[in-house]
Amino acid sequence: METIFEKIINRKIPAEILLENEHVIAIKDISPKAPVHILIITKKVIPSFQELKEEDYYLLGEVAKAANKLAKEFNIEKGFRILSNTGTSSGQTIYHLHFHLLGGRDLNAMG
Ligand code: 5GP
């Protein structure tokens, strides 16, 4: 069964795509928690951060590169948060590795 994010990668369901290369795709979150709320998704299906394998760690560099590029593009480079919910108790709902890039408002309070 494809994850929602695989369906987006495979153009089976629409999304606002902001960046794409062979390793990652970045889309606008459908339910934004901040004025800028972008999801950076690895194309390789890894269920969660905790399940990264030795051969996957280079992908975190690709995520970092995409995040810094997007932060500049969206003018939030002076203050943003990047996070990956890991496991049900963290609020993870989609088991396909992704990072939330949030900015555009005061993020001092968690949430
Ligand atoms: P998680 O809860 O797993 O950390 O994050 C999943 C995120 O995916 C949520 O912020 C949710 O709003 C977003 N999301 C869920 N379904 C879709 C969708 O079909 N399209 C887009 N663009 N975002 C989605």
Side-chain angles (χ1 to χ4, degrees):
M1 245 263 289
E2 279 185 322
T3 67
I4 290 176
F5 294 155
E6 278 178 288
K7 289 184 184 155
I8 288 172
I9 292 164
N10 295 327
R11 307 301 199 265
K12 290 182 181 162
I13 59 170
E16 204 169 327
I17 297 170
L18 304 172
L19 175 154
E20 184 171 22
N21 60 37
E22 66 175 302
H23 304 294
V24 298
I25 188 168
I27 61 172
K28 284 201 175 167
D29 196 291
I30 206 168
S31 176
K33 307 289 186 296
V36 178
H37 188 170
I38 296 169
L39 300 172
I40 303 171
I41 302 158
T42 58
K43 284 195 170 171
K44 179 170 178 184
V45 183
I46 299 163
S48 79
F49 192 86
Q50 184 63 49
E51 290 179 65
L52 281 160
K53 304 242 179 334
E54 199 58 40
E55 65 269 23
D56 299 325
Y57 282 105
Y58 76 96
L59 288 169
L60 301 186
E62 296 294 332
V63 170
K65 241 191 295 185
N68 280 330
K69 185 168 189 287
L70 288 161
K72 279 207 183 84
E73 272 177 36
F74 283 82
N75 293 313
I76 57 166
E77 72 267 35
K78 289 200 162 63
F80 62 86
R81 177 175 296 148
I82 180 157
L83 64 93
S84 184
N85 292 320
T86 305
T88 43
S89 66
S90 76
Q92 184 178 5
T93 55
I94 299 181
Y95 283 79
H96 179 158
L97 185 63
H98 58 281
F99 292 78
H100 299 255
L101 173 64
L102 297 149
R105 67 165 166 83
D106 185 357
L107 296 167
N108 274 321
M110 281 300 279

